[in-house]
């Protein structure tokens, strides 16, 4: 049995990207952040389609200098889920984010 604190945010790597796990998290009145990879088939492809066809609702950029390099991290937030087939399977899904990193030496 997995216990979640009510109103908490649970983050899980791609291994936890399963509807049953999301249902369990939401049943405890918690929220989730899950990762996807190419092995998520249609979900991963739908996200890639969204990246090509839609503009992010918001972009946050952070620059960091140190250790002989410059890193630029971009967080893009997408709220248009129209390209995700069966998005309703992911309980209370409202957005997804994409993190990109560029490193300059």
């Amino acid at each position: 049995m997995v216990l979640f604190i009510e109103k908490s945010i649970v983050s899980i790597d791609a291994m936890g990207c399963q509807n049953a796990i999301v249902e369990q998290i939401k049943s405890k009145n918690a929220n989730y952040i899950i990762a996807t990879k190419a092995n998520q088939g249609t979900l991963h492809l739908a996200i890639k389609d969204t990246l090509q066809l839609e503009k992010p609702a918001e972009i946050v950029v952070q620059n960091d200098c140190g250790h002989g390099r410059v890193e630029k991290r971009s967080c893009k937030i997408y709220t248009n889920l129209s390209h995700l087939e069966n998005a309703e399977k992911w309980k209370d899904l409202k957005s997804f984010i994409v993190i990109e990193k560029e490193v300059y030496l």
Side-chain angles (χ1 to χ4, degrees), residues 64-73 101-105:
D64 188 28
C65 299
H67 305 288
R69 66 179 183 257
V70 175
E71 284 190 28
K72 175 182 176 184
R73 289 181 288 278
K101 178 174 82 168
E102 298 174 46
V103 178
Y104 305 96
L105 301 176

Side-chain angles (χ1 to χ4, degrees), residues 19 23 32 42-43 46 81-93:
N19 299 108
E23 287 289 333
Y32 62 92
T42 56
L43 176 62
L81 306 177
S82 63
H83 302 287
L84 275 66
E85 189 174 314
N86 300 317
E88 68 279 355
K89 288 179 13 180
W90 301 96
K91 185 151 177 70
D92 295 332
L93 178 65

Side-chain angles (χ1 to χ4, degrees), residues 40-94:
Q40 286 298 324
T42 56
L43 176 62
H44 190 72
L45 289 174
I47 290 171
K48 288 176 85 172
D49 287 345
T50 302
L51 300 181
Q52 293 295 316
L53 300 170
E54 302 296 333
K55 293 184 187 226
E58 186 174 349
I59 301 174
V60 178
V61 177
Q62 179 184 40
N63 295 297
D64 188 28
C65 299
H67 305 288
R69 66 179 183 257
V70 175
E71 284 190 28
K72 175 182 176 184
R73 289 181 288 278
S74 301
C75 176
K76 298 178 181 179
I77 303 166
Y78 293 84
T79 56
N80 182 341
L81 306 177
S82 63
H83 302 287
L84 275 66
E85 189 174 314
N86 300 317
E88 68 279 355
K89 288 179 13 180
W90 301 96
K91 185 151 177 70
D92 295 332
L93 178 65
K94 294 187 177 37

